[in-house]
């Protein structure tokens, strides 16, 4: 498996988790939310440190905008995560805030799969994409665990 296939698989996991969050209540909802927050934090950090720089250095100025947009969308998602983390699950706005986050994340994942992954497959050899998987997963795990500690 290569790193891009792994990213798509994680996207599916995140979409399932977001659906469970919307269907849950009270402390279960908050626990699932924090799980999503930690997992996505690791995922975004790994993309930004392992994959995005490699693609960015190999593309022209026009395609570089795709990479930069991915990073900006991560920032937007991180902001919305932090807002939700500070909002009580009992607050009447929590579900609306989560709905906005879900829309941002789904838009990002769709664009990443359609635009970024297509671009990455063009500029990075298959062997390199396979070799990057271990580094990606290692950083993902490290950053996820850091976020889990922060959320306790």
């Amino acid at each position: 498996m290569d790193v891009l296939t792994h990213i798509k698989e994680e996207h599916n996991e995140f979409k399932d988790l977001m659906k469970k969050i919307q269907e849950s209540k009270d402390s279960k909802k908050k626990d699932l939310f924090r799980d999503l927050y930690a997992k996505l934090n690791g995922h975004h950090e790994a993309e930004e440190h392992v994959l995005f720089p490699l693609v960015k250095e190999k593309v022209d100025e026009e395609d570089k905008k795709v990479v930069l947009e991915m990073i900006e969308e991560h920032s937007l998602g991180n902001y919305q995560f932090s807002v939700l983390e500070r909002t009580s699950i009992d607050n009447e706005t929590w579900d609306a805030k989560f709905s906005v986050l879900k829309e941002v994340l789904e838009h990002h994942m769709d664009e990443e799969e359609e635009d970024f992954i297509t671009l990455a497959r063009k500029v990075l050899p298959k062997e390199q994409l396979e070799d990057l998987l271990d580094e990606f997963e290692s950083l993902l795990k490290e950053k996820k665990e850091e976020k889990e500690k922060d959320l306790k």
Side-chain angles (χ1 to χ4, degrees), residues 34-118:
R34 287 182 169 158
D35 186 39
L36 177 67
Y37 193 179
K39 286 177 178 177
L40 261 166
N41 183 72
H43 177 90
H44 287 169
E45 289 283 337
E47 285 178 337
E48 289 181 23
H49 292 91
V50 174
L51 192 57
F52 290 176
L54 292 173
V55 173
K56 187 177 163 195
E57 75 181 25
K58 296 206 181 259
V59 296
D60 62 23
E61 286 303 311
E62 189 62 32
D63 287 335
K64 198 175 284 188
K65 291 177 185 175
V66 171
V67 180
L68 296 174
E69 185 178 331
M70 294 295 103
I71 295 167
E72 289 306 313
E73 288 177 356
H74 284 181
S75 295
L76 183 60
N78 287 340
Y79 171 76
Q80 193 66 16
F81 267 114
S82 70
V83 168
L84 275 156
E85 180 57 27
R86 293 188 313 268
T87 303
S88 169
I89 201 79
D90 299 325
N91 186 302
E92 68 178 3
T93 67
W94 200 95
D95 286 334
K97 285 176 172 51
F98 183 76
S99 181
V100 169
L101 173 64
K102 184 175 179 279
E103 286 177 25
V104 167
L105 293 175
E106 286 175 342
H107 166 82
H108 172 73
M109 288 185 277
D110 290 345
E111 269 195 350
E112 192 168 85
E113 290 178 16
E114 292 168 19
D115 300 335
F116 177 78
I117 288 178
T118 301

Side-chain angles (χ1 to χ4, degrees), residues 5 12-13 19 22 38 45 68 70 72 80 91 99 107 109 122 128 131 134 148 150:
T5 302
N12 291 333
E13 179 186 340
K19 185 176 182 191
Q22 286 185 309
E45 289 283 337
L68 296 174
M70 294 295 103
E72 289 306 313
Q80 193 66 16
N91 186 302
S99 181
H107 166 82
M109 288 185 277
K122 284 182 188 173
Q128 186 176 15
D131 292 345
D134 288 341
E148 286 172 337
D150 291 346

Side-chain angles (χ1 to χ4, degrees), residues 14-22 36 98 105 109:
F14 300 148
K15 288 174 185 175
D16 289 344
L17 195 47
M18 287 187 290
K19 185 176 182 191
K20 287 178 185 171
I21 291 167
Q22 286 185 309
L36 177 67
F98 183 76
L105 293 175
M109 288 185 277

